[in-house]
Amino acid sequence: MKTSYCIDDVFERWPVRKAVRTLAVPAVASQMVTAVCSLTDTFFVGQTGSDTEIAAVSVSYTALLLLNTIANLFGIGGSSLLSRALGEHNRQKASQSAAFSLWGAAVISASYAILMAVFPQQLARLFGAGDSYLNDTCTYLHYSVVLGAIPSVLVMVFGHLVRAEGGARQAGVGLCLAGVANMVLDPLFIYPWGLNMGVAGAALATALAHWLSLGYFLLYMYRERAHTVLSLKVRHLRLPRRLVWDILSTGFPQSIKTVMSTLSGSVMNHLAAPFGEYVVAAIGVAHKFDLIPMNVATGFSAGSLPMIGYTYAARQYDRMKEALYHSQRYALYVSAGCMVVYLLFSPVLTGLFIQDEQTAQMGAQFLRVLSLALPGMTVSFIFTALFQATGRAREALIMSLYRKGAVDIPLLFLFNAIFPMWGLLLVQPVVDTTAVLLAWHFYKRFNRELQTLQGGDEACPAKA
């Protein structure tokens, strides 16, 4: 799929509903594979019957969120600027944003990998690892971060950038490739009939799968070099300071949300640890299922971001609003369906992943509570994507901090004091539901600005 074809046909000529599906479905599919990939590690490790290894994988998830932090900083910021540059028909600016995003992500992820190699136990404890599963946690982080940080981050950044220039299908294939490869390699590396590496095998499988996916994206960039605006050329790193600020300020809200999610997860792990290993494992499994609707919402927001950014820069505000509407509608259908399934069948679902009956039952009850947050989470995700796509970093930052960090961490301590253990799970439904009100307030103000600009036939105040 050539870049010019995608821009002319998908962004400008296709019916908006069809364009949203074209861009979002591959993004959702790739995000779903990511969620299934995370569940796969938990499933195969869970079959070993070791609560300590399950707890290690659960705690390590908090550390892996930092990889998403790096990817979101450069991927969301770079793809937002890239799509707006294409809407302005400025290919030079688009290539500069891609080159800066890819090189910046590579340098920061390499630095994180070095820190993990030098201070494994200190970082594992920081992320919430207890004494009984500290060694397993360090082992998992060695393979997944030290060996896998660079490809994991670059694959996510490539996915954002390829999608932003209209290559939604190619981005989906690359991201799905990592997930499928991980699912194939996991049992081979974990079980005695294979390499018998246990929890280390799960992490190594993930790292190798991402190296394979990175190879795919590099091959894509080489084969499409006559059409793509993606670039690794050093000369494209000479971009104006205002463009660097645009990328970082736009990506920062999503990035800080992931950092705050990491911090929130660490706080929850520390508060849950006194209740026993089985509680930490149960919370971890419940959160793994929570990843499915969350990744669907992330996929729709990532898929709609190029369309929103392009139409915003091209001053096609009606198409932009229609894209927002369809993204919200599709994502809500999925999240509502997941909520119903989790409320009705959570014991069956958690029982598939945990052998211990007590842990499985506890995880089922936790999953029911977390499912109440899904509709609010979906709405706030899509609205945050709108603010990111249009370069409104302040609104996106406030939304991100509200969901993770500023409100939920204090509530974790408060609710846990009032409702020991159960209060930890009640926080997210409360925060996500009230976040919808904040998102709607920002959207109404944004909509008034657009109406004023349309009335005066003025250019929309993009921050590129």
Side-chain angles (χ1 to χ4, degrees):
M1 184 182 293
K2 301 294 187 288
T3 302
S4 59
Y5 171 83
C6 293
I7 293 173
D8 293 341
D9 287 1
V10 178
F11 289 155
E12 294 186 351
R13 297 192 181 96
W14 283 14
V16 174
R17 181 184 300 183
K18 180 181 178 182
V20 168
R21 288 199 303 265
T22 300
L23 292 168
V25 169
V28 171
S30 62
Q31 289 291 329
M32 284 296 294
V33 170
T34 300
V36 172
C37 179
S38 180
L39 280 170
T40 299
D41 279 357
T42 304
F43 173 78
F44 287 118
V45 172
Q47 300 310 299
T48 65
S50 171
D51 278 349
T52 59
E53 290 194 347
I54 297 174
V57 174
S58 299
V59 169
S60 297
Y61 171 70
T62 305
L64 297 180
L65 280 176
L66 286 179
L67 298 179
N68 289 353
T69 299
I70 301 168
N72 287 333
L73 178 64
F74 295 99
I76 295 290
S79 64
S80 175
L81 178 59
L82 189 150
S83 63
R84 281 180 278 136
L86 291 177
E88 298 165 357
H89 303 286
N90 189 336
R91 292 178 63 87
Q92 172 72 10
K93 184 195 292 187
S95 293
Q96 288 176 325
S97 67
F100 176 80
S101 299
L102 290 168
W103 280 109
V107 170
I108 301 301
S109 58
S111 301
Y112 180 40
I114 292 171
L115 283 175
M116 186 62 72
V118 176
F119 305 106
Q121 291 194 1
Q122 293 89 334
L123 290 175
R125 289 191 183 279
L126 180 64
F127 295 132
D131 291 334
S132 60
Y133 49 94
L134 177 62
N135 289 336
D136 285 333
T137 304
C138 290
T139 299
Y140 190 89
L141 292 176
H142 172 77
Y143 288 101
S144 60
V145 176
V146 177
L147 300 183
I150 293 176
S152 297
V153 170
L154 287 181
V155 162
M156 287 185 277
V157 174
F158 264 116
H160 286 296
L161 297 176
V162 172
R163 193 181 302 116
E165 70 169 359
R169 181 174 60 84
Q170 292 88 337
V173 169
L175 293 170
C176 287
L177 178 61
V180 172
N182 189 29
M183 287 185 279
V184 172
L185 294 175
D186 256 349
L188 176 64
F189 285 16
I190 293 172
Y191 292 146
W193 54 263
L195 298 181
N196 196 27
M197 296 177 65
V199 71
L204 180 58
T206 300
L208 292 178
H210 281 103
W211 278 110
L212 179 63
S213 180
L214 177 59
Y216 165 86
F217 279 117
L218 291 173
L219 180 62
Y220 162 83
M221 191 167 68
Y222 174 77
R223 293 184 62 180
E224 295 293 324
R225 61 190 181 278
H227 309 283
T228 182
V229 295
L230 302 189
S231 172
L232 286 171
K233 296 177 180 178
V234 176
R235 65 182 176 86
H236 283 141
L237 293 176
R238 301 190 190 98
L239 66 169
R241 188 173 300 177
R242 63 183 178 82
L243 296 186
V244 173
W245 172 250
D246 189 303
I247 292 172
L248 297 180
S249 63
T250 303
F252 181 74
Q254 187 74 15
S255 186
I256 196 64
K257 181 178 74 174
T258 311
V259 171
M260 290 296 103
S261 295
T262 304
L263 179 59
S264 176
S266 296
V267 170
M268 178 175 285
N269 288 331
H270 282 293
L271 293 176
F275 299 106
E277 291 172 5
Y278 77 98
V279 173
V280 176
I283 290 177
V285 170
H287 275 296
K288 294 291 185 180
F289 280 104
D290 194 45
L291 285 177
I292 295 177
M294 186 182 77
N295 277 277
V296 170
T298 301
F300 274 107
S301 60
S304 64
L305 190 147
M307 180 73 176
I308 292 173
Y310 186 99
T311 51
Y312 174 75
R315 305 177 194 175
Q316 300 171 2
Y317 303 132
D318 289 339
R319 285 177 65 84
M320 182 197 72
K321 292 177 183 178
E322 192 176 348
L324 176 70
Y325 166 74
H326 288 302
S327 299
Q328 292 274 25
R329 184 165 63 91
Y330 294 143
L332 275 172
Y333 287 161
V334 176
S335 64
C338 286
M339 183 175 70
V340 172
V341 170
Y342 292 166
L343 288 173
L344 295 177
F345 304 108
S346 57
V348 177
L349 296 173
T350 56
L352 295 174
F353 290 82
I354 304 176
Q355 299 298 307
D356 181 74
E357 183 176 352
Q358 181 186 26
T359 306
Q361 288 298 321
M362 185 67 69
Q365 296 178 60
F366 289 166
L367 181 57
R368 286 193 177 108
V369 176
L370 286 176
S371 69
L372 301 176
L374 299 182
M377 175 193 69
T378 298
V379 172
S380 62
F381 269 36
I382 304 295
F383 273 125
T384 301
L386 166 71
F387 302 138
Q388 290 168 331
T390 56
R392 280 164 167 73
R394 187 176 67 89
E395 288 85 348
L397 177 61
I398 293 173
M399 285 295 303
S400 297
L401 289 177
Y402 184 88
R403 281 200 71 251
K404 288 293 180 182
V407 178
D408 71 322
I409 291 179
L411 287 182
L412 283 172
F413 288 97
L414 177 62
F415 281 25
N416 190 50
I418 299 174
F419 312 106
M421 188 179 71
W422 290 103
L424 299 174
L425 281 302
L426 291 171
V427 170
Q428 206 56 52
V430 171
V431 172
D432 277 327
T433 301
T434 55
V436 175
L437 301 177
L438 180 63
W440 184 248
H441 166 73
F442 286 144
Y443 176 70
K444 287 198 299 183
R445 187 169 63 185
F446 171 72
N447 197 38
R448 286 196 298 268
E449 292 176 9
L450 289 184
Q451 290 173 346
T452 301
L453 293 174
Q454 284 178 298
D457 194 28
E458 297 177 11
C460 199
K463 300 180 181 180

